[in-house]
Amino acid sequence: MKWIRELPLHVMILPAFIIVFIYSYIPMFGLIIAFQNFTPVNGFLGSKYVGLDNFKYILQFPDIYQVLWNTVNIALMKIVGNLIVPVIIALLLNELIRPFHKRTIQTIVYLPNFLSWVIVSGLIIDILSPSEGIVNKALQFVGIQEVFFLGNQTWFPFIMVITDIWKNFGFGTVIFLAALTGIDPTLYESSIVDGANRWKQTIHITLPGIKPVIILMTVLSLGNILNAGFEQIFNLYNPMVYATGDIIDTLVYRLGIVDAQYSPATAVGLFKSVISFIMIAVSYKLADKFANYRIF
């Protein structure tokens, strides 16, 4: 019987299932805080039930819609950038003839992915320092006034996007390089016979060949539309850039941890989780329709 043949596989994933259940599903009981006037003294069962009052309260925040816009704006720019840059780098690496050079560059661009945002943020702060940073030193050298990049509301979102792409594009490059290996080499040989140059081969063979993977990566990234990168922004932002850099996750942190407003913070987090769940469901439906990708 089929279930007997698959039993070893289910036993194999059982430890992972138990861990996920303990650390991910059991804590979901705490979502009840979003519907309570929660106080640690009274606990989950003793705190007063207030219904949707916490959601009404957060919708009255003067900056809540700006925070939502900042989250979507930064997340969308990251999604687009982390799709376009890896495709371009993968195409360029694919043109390298010597395997040693290809593997070396691929390793170099992948290394930042292993660094934590704490380390990367320290590097960014030093590089963009208005007094000692190498960028502002270069600006001063050519006669341009130094810029406090991490304190500038206009520059801050773009710095978040650029640094996120720099850190993560190596991982995407590996995915698209793997997709490139699946293209039939005889297509390139036939195109050479027909007189196609490398550019035409890229346009008419390479890009169509990895099109399903591009579509798949695009639609799956829609589930992260409200994940603009808490670790990155938390380590780099400051009150001067709240207008353009404050996102849902940093708002939840300040409400719940700094201000001890546990119920409103949980309400904001629950709102984000529900929207993210809907977007993930939609993205998998789109992945099934346009890229023939299914989990079940």
Side-chain angles (χ1 to χ4, degrees), residues 15-278:
F17 172 79
I18 293 174
I19 292 174
V20 171
F21 180 77
I22 293 175
Y23 291 102
S24 296
Y25 283 91
I26 292 180
M28 289 179 67
F29 177 74
L31 292 176
I32 193 176
I33 297 175
F35 306 96
Q36 294 177 328
N37 182 16
F38 177 78
T39 57
V41 175
N42 296 325
F44 294 126
L45 302 179
S47 297
K48 181 182 178 181
Y49 178 78
V50 295
L52 299 177
D53 286 356
N54 289 314
F55 294 92
K56 296 177 182 177
Y57 173 69
I58 62 175
L59 290 176
Q60 294 174 356
F61 282 0
D63 299 328
I64 186 62
Y65 297 105
Q66 183 64 43
V67 169
L68 287 172
W69 164 250
N70 294 342
T71 304
V72 174
N73 181 43
I74 294 174
L76 276 177
M77 288 193 292
K78 286 183 177 181
I79 289 173
V80 173
N82 281 307
L83 177 68
I84 295 176
V85 173
V87 169
I88 294 175
I89 300 300
L91 293 176
L92 293 175
L93 287 176
N94 192 53
E95 295 299 317
L96 294 179
I97 299 177
R98 296 186 177 182
F100 173 77
H101 293 163
K102 184 176 181 179
R103 289 195 298 266
T104 301
I105 296 175
Q106 183 178 338
T107 302
I108 292 173
V109 300
Y110 192 64
L111 282 177
N113 190 69
F114 295 100
L115 300 177
S116 72
W117 272 115
V118 175
I119 297 175
V120 174
S121 297
L123 295 174
I124 295 170
I125 291 172
D126 288 339
I127 292 173
L128 299 180
S129 170
S131 57
E132 300 296 331
I134 187 174
V135 174
N136 276 300
K137 287 291 185 181
L139 292 178
Q140 293 174 13
F141 181 77
V142 296
I144 300 177
Q145 182 72 24
E146 65 270 8
V147 180
F148 185 14
F149 291 99
L150 296 179
N152 187 293
Q153 295 182 3
T154 302
W155 279 104
F156 187 81
F158 297 104
I159 293 172
M160 297 301 99
V161 174
I162 293 171
T163 54
D164 183 81
I165 293 173
W166 170 79
K167 184 177 183 299
N168 296 316
F169 80 91
F171 178 78
T173 301
V174 172
I175 295 176
F176 291 113
L177 281 173
L180 288 170
T181 61
I183 299 177
D184 188 353
T186 59
L187 295 175
Y188 293 104
E189 297 172 1
S190 300
S191 67
I192 294 174
V193 174
D194 292 336
N197 55 29
R198 299 300 296 177
W199 174 250
K200 290 184 178 179
Q201 290 175 5
T202 300
I203 297 298
H204 299 289
I205 298 176
T206 306
L207 287 178
I210 64 174
K211 180 180 176 182
V213 178
I214 294 176
I215 295 175
L216 175 62
M217 297 299 293
T218 302
V219 297
L220 293 182
S221 64
L222 292 178
N224 294 319
I225 197 66
L226 293 183
N227 291 324
F230 170 75
E231 289 183 71
Q232 177 196 22
I233 294 179
F234 177 74
N235 282 285
L236 291 172
Y237 85 146
N238 58 78
M240 297 175 63
V241 293
Y242 278 177
T244 58
D246 197 17
I247 61 173
I248 293 176
D249 290 330
T250 54
L251 175 63
V252 171
Y253 170 81
R254 291 201 310 278
L255 283 175
I257 304 300
V258 178
D259 299 335
Q261 298 186 54
Y262 304 112
S263 294
T266 306
V268 176
L270 179 58
F271 168 78
K272 176 197 168 185
S273 299
V274 171
I275 299 300
S276 297
F277 175 78
I278 294 173

